Amino acid sequence: KNHHIMASAGILEDMFSGVGGELLYHQFDRRWAVGTSYSFVRQRGYDKSFKHLDYTTSTGFLSLFYASPFYNFDFGLHAGRYLAGDVGYTFEAKRSFDSGFEVGAFFTRTNVSAQDFGEGSFDKGLLIRIPFDYFSSRNTTGAFRTTLRSINRDGGRRLDDFTSMLWNDRRAYRLDALQRTQRRMIP
């Protein structure tokens, strides 16, 4: 009941397909969790068909998560190997609202020099999630997620929406989220 496992195969994001998995250890009544993810991927063709390029790599991370009791902030620290073969860490902070909206920011530092990848050794961006509930007459858990980056480079890039999926997808079922909405559950 404390171990959560996910496996994926196929097109994992716009530019990579492959196989991968994630393991999350999280006790229901704790604000912290530890996770790991690993993927073996192959780069897709630029026309985004089912053709592939010759570039293959493996990527993996060890992740620590913490759900802050202040203003519904979630923090994540991911250390490991990125898509370009560089090694480093990513720190992210995200605020979730009871309405389902999420806003956050992240930055990445790796061993790639600025001379090799320009600004690639320091990736940064904003995370936004907008729930579909506001645009639908039915109750839905779907949402529009996007990442805004000031510049796209190869260094410090992870598979989009693949690392820390279990932690993010389980947010509504964690004890801290249930405690905040407890007044709505009592008849």
Side-chain angles (χ1 to χ4, degrees):
K1 63 183 181 179
N2 296 328
H3 295 85
H4 308 279
I5 300 170
M6 178 188 72
S8 298
I11 298 174
L12 301 180
E13 69 155 37
D14 285 344
M15 291 308 297
F16 287 93
S17 61
V19 296
E22 185 178 0
L23 171 67
L24 179 74
Y25 175 78
H26 176 235
Q27 294 179 353
F28 173 74
D29 59 345
R30 301 286 188 253
R31 290 190 172 274
W32 59 271
V34 177
T36 185
S37 62
Y38 177 81
S39 301
F40 180 77
V41 294
R42 186 168 184 187
Q43 189 173 16
R44 296 178 62 204
Y46 295 112
D47 60 355
K48 297 184 182 175
S49 64
F50 290 105
K51 297 177 184 174
H52 289 88
L53 302 177
D54 290 333
Y55 183 74
T56 60
T57 188
S58 60
T59 178
F61 296 92
L62 178 63
S63 302
L64 303 173
F65 302 100
Y66 180 70
S68 169
F70 304 106
Y71 299 107
N72 299 333
F73 273 102
D74 282 352
F75 299 100
L77 179 64
H78 314 283
R81 183 171 187 219
Y82 294 85
L83 290 171
D86 48 337
V87 177
Y89 66 92
T90 299
F91 177 77
E92 61 185 13
K94 183 171 35 173
R95 182 172 182 197
S96 299
F97 299 90
D98 289 337
S99 61
F101 283 88
E102 293 178 1
V103 178
F106 69 93
F107 72 89
T108 299
R109 296 294 295 179
T110 69
N111 62 349
V112 174
S113 70
Q115 294 171 345
D116 289 338
F117 283 108
E119 290 187 31
S121 62
F122 181 63
D123 190 26
K124 58 205 166 289
L126 300 174
L127 307 165
I128 299 171
R129 179 185 182 273
I130 302 171
F132 288 149
D133 270 349
Y134 289 94
F135 309 107
S136 174
S137 61
R138 297 182 181 185
N139 190 12
T140 179
T141 59
F144 171 75
R145 296 176 193 222
T146 190
T147 302
L148 302 173
R149 288 183 168 86
S150 60
I151 191 166
N152 280 324
R153 297 285 189 188
D154 291 335
R157 289 298 297 264
R158 297 183 294 164
L159 290 171
D160 288 337
D161 292 331
F162 194 73
T163 305
S164 72
M165 282 182 66
L166 287 174
W167 174 256
N168 293 330
D169 289 347
R170 297 191 69 254
R171 184 172 212 313
Y173 310 110
R174 297 189 325 231
L175 181 61
D176 60 303
L178 293 174
Q179 287 174 335
R180 278 193 331 280
T181 58
Q182 183 177 14
R183 66 185 182 283
R184 296 187 333 198
M185 292 185 273
I186 299 175

